Amino acid sequence: MSLDIDIIKTRANGDYRLSKVRGECMISVRIPGGIMPAYLLSTAQHIAETFGNGVIHLTTRQKLAMPGIKYQDIPAVNKALAPFIEDITVASCGIDVEDTKAGYQSIGGRNIVACQGSQICQKANTDTTGLAQRLEHHVYPQPYHLKLVLAGCPNDCAKANMADFGILGIAQIDFKSERCIGCGACVKVCSQHAANCLSIKHGKATKEVSKCIGCGECVLACPTLAWQRNPKQLYMVKLGGRTSKRTPRVGKLFLNWVTEDVIHQVLNNLFAFEKEILEETPVYMHMGHLIDKAGYHAFKDRVLRDVTFNEEAHVAERLYWAEDEYVANLHVKPA
């Protein structure tokens, strides 16, 4: 195979990345939610040792990447990727793939990153791995860019606040007054680690509802189970966070107390918005930059079009961005 390969086309149709070594590239595999069957590590080892340079990179987006792939070996690597595609893309995420030995057919949105979630973490309100797998069909094999991050609670270990579209699991907390003994354990933990929305009045815990962020710290602290998570799964969505060489910024609250069904509807519309604003040319741009281009109100009107909200849902009327600025070193001077 000639070294004069269209690496941009190869990347877009298989998630291969150009290397600094001429004639070599890196392949990375999609693992939505960051959890996979352990036996697939042997498949990654086989690819790395047979076609790569013998190392595996654990990427910041929870993917396994094998560098040192020769261009002429790409077809063979695509065949070797079949166990990943069959077990994760098809079996776990329910995506229809015509030929599992043809490799990844699109770079898609970036791999969905997730914290450990409620399968493992006692603080998590939601199963982030399951949600990541259920959301994967929105971003793969979608040709448009999106960085989607899931956190099981507002502690945000996964850094959803820095994503194009960050989803945090929250809970409505039910209070059983007859169980409360007024010990103040919930008040202490809320003031130290959460929103400081609890207090003791007349010997019972009480909450300023408007301040509650649904983290569930009170549930973990209460010795009598007076505070309990409502089983209804709800989410907070942060919008437009980004790292950037231009204007990095933390995402802002876009949706609150929404159900998973709302998120599916919004993501469908979000990609339609991206396609329209980019005039059907899928170039790499952070969602925050696309929102800047269209304006928040135009963005909101498009992505919320025909969305059916649950009764608890809240939507941001407007967003106030707070950005950092690298250009011109505005805030520094020679020491």
Side-chain angles (χ1 to χ4, degrees), residues 272-321:
F273 161 80
E274 191 166 357
K275 182 177 181 180
E276 291 167 10
I277 202 71
L278 291 175
E279 299 178 342
E280 300 189 18
T281 303
V283 298
Y284 177 98
M285 284 189 73
H286 283 291
M287 183 55 59
H289 290 137
L290 293 175
I291 296 169
D292 292 345
K293 182 180 179 67
Y296 173 67
H297 291 293
F299 167 84
K300 184 179 72 169
D301 289 344
R302 182 62 188 88
V303 301
L304 299 185
R305 184 183 300 172
D306 299 324
V307 171
T308 302
F309 286 100
N310 54 294
E311 61 181 359
E312 302 93 343
H314 289 73
V315 179
E317 283 297 312
R318 54 183 59 85
L319 299 183
Y320 299 97
W321 302 115

Side-chain angles (χ1 to χ4, degrees), residues 7-309:
I7 193 64
I8 301 301
K9 182 178 179 181
T10 302
R11 176 182 176 183
N13 292 282
D15 216 356
Y16 288 91
R17 302 295 182 95
L18 179 66
S19 169
K20 295 177 73 173
V21 179
R22 179 169 171 77
E24 292 184 3
C25 57
M26 178 184 76
I27 180 63
S28 56
V29 297
R30 298 188 68 85
I31 311 172
I35 292 181
M36 68 179 196
Y39 89 88
L40 287 176
L41 290 173
S42 64
T43 301
Q45 179 185 6
H46 167 70
I47 294 172
E49 293 180 345
T50 306
F51 305 106
N53 57 17
V55 302
I56 296 175
H57 177 213
L58 306 181
T59 76
T60 57
R61 299 205 66 79
Q62 298 180 334
K63 301 171 80 174
L64 300 181
M66 288 70 81
I69 305 294
K70 303 294 191 297
Y71 292 170
Q72 59 265 31
D73 289 332
I74 287 177
V77 171
N78 283 339
K79 290 182 181 179
L81 288 170
F84 277 100
I85 296 172
E86 290 166 359
D87 273 26
I88 297 178
T89 306
V90 177
S92 295
C93 300
I95 296 174
D96 184 26
V97 177
E98 184 174 345
D99 185 358
T100 60
K101 295 183 179 180
Y104 294 103
Q105 296 305 295
S106 170
I107 191 171
R110 296 299 182 263
N111 189 58
I112 301 176
V113 173
C115 70
Q116 296 182 90
S118 59
Q119 289 189 29
I120 299 172
C121 180
Q122 63 175 337
K123 291 183 179 293
N125 295 308
T126 54
D127 173 16
T128 53
T129 302
L131 180 60
Q133 293 170 348
R134 294 192 297 275
L135 294 178
E136 173 71 350
H137 72 277
H138 291 289
V139 300
Y140 180 81
Q142 175 69 242
Y144 291 90
H145 172 79
L146 184 73
K147 288 181 177 175
L148 204 161
V149 174
L150 311 181
C153 77
N155 201 52
D156 194 16
C157 297
K159 306 299 182 289
N161 278 281
M162 297 305 299
D164 294 326
F165 198 87
I167 303 172
L168 300 94
I170 55 178
Q172 287 186 324
I173 311 299
D174 296 333
F175 183 58
K176 299 185 181 300
S177 178
E178 69 277 9
R179 289 179 173 267
C180 180
I181 58 175
C183 68
C186 60
V187 176
K188 181 178 180 180
V189 73
C190 187
S191 64
Q192 292 179 343
H193 302 299
N196 195 24
C197 64
L198 300 180
S199 60
I200 298 293
K201 291 184 179 179
H202 308 298
K204 298 282 187 179
T206 186
K207 176 168 64 176
E208 174 52 60
V209 176
S210 65
K211 293 175 65 177
C212 180
I213 59 174
C215 66
E217 286 287 351
C218 55
V219 175
L220 297 175
C222 182
T224 64
L225 302 180
W227 296 107
Q228 297 181 16
R229 290 185 178 94
N230 188 293
K232 188 172 185 177
Q233 298 283 283
L234 296 171
Y235 301 90
M236 175 192 302
V237 175
K238 295 295 189 75
L239 182 68
R242 65 189 183 214
T243 55
S244 170
K245 293 185 288 291
R246 293 168 56 187
T247 48
R249 68 189 182 197
V250 175
K252 293 295 185 179
L253 181 60
F254 174 45
L255 305 173
N256 208 9
W257 307 107
V258 297
T259 60
E260 180 180 331
D261 182 60
V262 170
I263 291 173
H264 285 290
Q265 296 175 69
V266 170
L267 284 174
N268 282 333
N269 285 345
L270 186 146
F271 280 109
F273 161 80
E274 191 166 357
K275 182 177 181 180
E276 291 167 10
I277 202 71
L278 291 175
E279 299 178 342
E280 300 189 18
T281 303
V283 298
Y284 177 98
M285 284 189 73
H286 283 291
M287 183 55 59
H289 290 137
L290 293 175
I291 296 169
D292 292 345
K293 182 180 179 67
Y296 173 67
H297 291 293
F299 167 84
K300 184 179 72 169
D301 289 344
R302 182 62 188 88
V303 301
L304 299 185
R305 184 183 300 172
D306 299 324
V307 171
T308 302
F309 286 100

